[in-house]
Amino acid sequence: MHHDGADPVLASYRPPSQLVVDKEIDHLDVHCRAFIGLAPFLTLSTADADGWPEISPRGGDPGFVKVLDEHRLVLPDRQGNNRLDSLRKVAVNPRVALLFFVPGVEETLKVFGTAELLAADALDVDLTEFGRAPRSVLVVTVQRAYLQCAKAVMRSGLWDPASRIDRDALPPFGTMIRDHCRLESPLPDDATIRAELALEL
């Protein structure tokens, strides 16, 4: 049960329905497993020892996250920017949250638990993708899971083709990074940047 104390803003919200409360389960049931098997994208939330959060996008072929059993899943870590923000946080604070997306499905799946960072070959599971083994793996022990209703994705029109913007609505990525970093010389054009990224998938 949520206790919102004396906060007047929180107190102004109506209590959640019993269904909303009851839909939270402590394992990955058949529907969670099917959702994860179709998901090519998720966000991984972590926090450091002081509670400062980090959120990281993760993607791959549908089902790139493998469900080991009702209480464990494995998330492979691929070539990234080598900042290792999420992995460093897991090393000091194992609590994680994952939000899974399936293109065309307006519901999402939330999974909460604790993560352990292991070497890529620590599990007897084939996690090869794009011709490469992962750099490492996170094994998440699931404590809570629930399907999130479609309202946010409905409001956003996320999967509606009419909602897609022209990439020219924003400056090229290389321009934005150059300006962020106050670089003197220009970065390669976006086609070159994407071609280089494609070699590291």
Side-chain angles (χ1 to χ4, degrees):
M1 180 60 86
H2 298 276
H3 297 285
D4 297 325
D7 188 294
V9 176
L10 293 177
S12 71
Y13 284 80
R14 64 175 170 80
S17 70
Q18 194 61 45
L19 177 63
V20 168
V21 174
D22 291 344
K23 71 178 181 177
E24 183 175 289
I25 59 177
D26 64 359
H27 63 285
L28 300 174
D29 70 2
V30 62
H31 304 299
C32 294
R33 295 171 76 139
F35 201 102
I36 292 168
L38 292 171
F41 180 79
L42 63 88
T43 57
L44 167 66
S45 296
T46 55
D48 66 16
D50 295 321
W52 287 102
E54 168 70 23
I55 190 163
S56 176
R58 299 297 172 98
D61 286 332
F64 76 102
V65 173
K66 306 295 184 193
V67 176
L68 300 179
D69 55 48
E70 285 192 331
H71 295 283
R72 294 182 307 152
L73 58 79
V74 57
L75 172 59
D77 189 67
R78 305 289 174 191
Q79 177 72 38
N81 57 19
N82 286 319
R83 285 179 53 121
L84 307 183
D85 293 323
S86 298
L87 302 186
R88 292 184 199 282
K89 286 178 171 58
V90 165
V92 297
N93 180 350
R95 296 185 180 98
V96 298
L98 298 89
L99 180 63
F100 290 89
F101 293 81
V102 175
V105 175
E106 292 181 316
E107 294 76 22
T108 52
L109 173 67
K110 291 181 177 180
V111 176
F112 303 87
T114 55
E116 181 181 10
L117 179 62
L118 298 176
D121 59 359
L123 300 173
D124 188 22
V125 179
D126 183 11
L127 297 169
T128 304
E129 194 175 29
F130 305 109
R132 302 171 192 233
R135 303 287 298 275
S136 63
V137 296
L138 283 178
V139 176
V140 177
T141 299
V142 176
Q143 295 176 345
R144 295 186 292 133
Y146 67 90
L147 290 160
Q148 182 77 36
C149 78
K151 286 179 185 174
V153 173
M154 289 170 65
R155 290 182 184 119
S156 70
L158 184 63
W159 306 129
D160 183 352
S163 297
R164 290 179 63 97
I165 66 161
D166 191 311
R167 181 59 185 82
D168 293 339
L170 288 170
F173 180 70
T175 299
M176 292 191 282
I177 295 298
R178 184 197 67 201
D179 292 348
H180 279 335
C181 301
R182 300 182 179 180
L183 302 176
E184 296 293 330
S185 55
L187 291 171
D189 64 34
D190 279 13
T192 302
I193 291 173
R194 284 183 59 83
E196 290 172 353
L197 291 175
L199 296 176
E200 297 182 350
L201 295 179

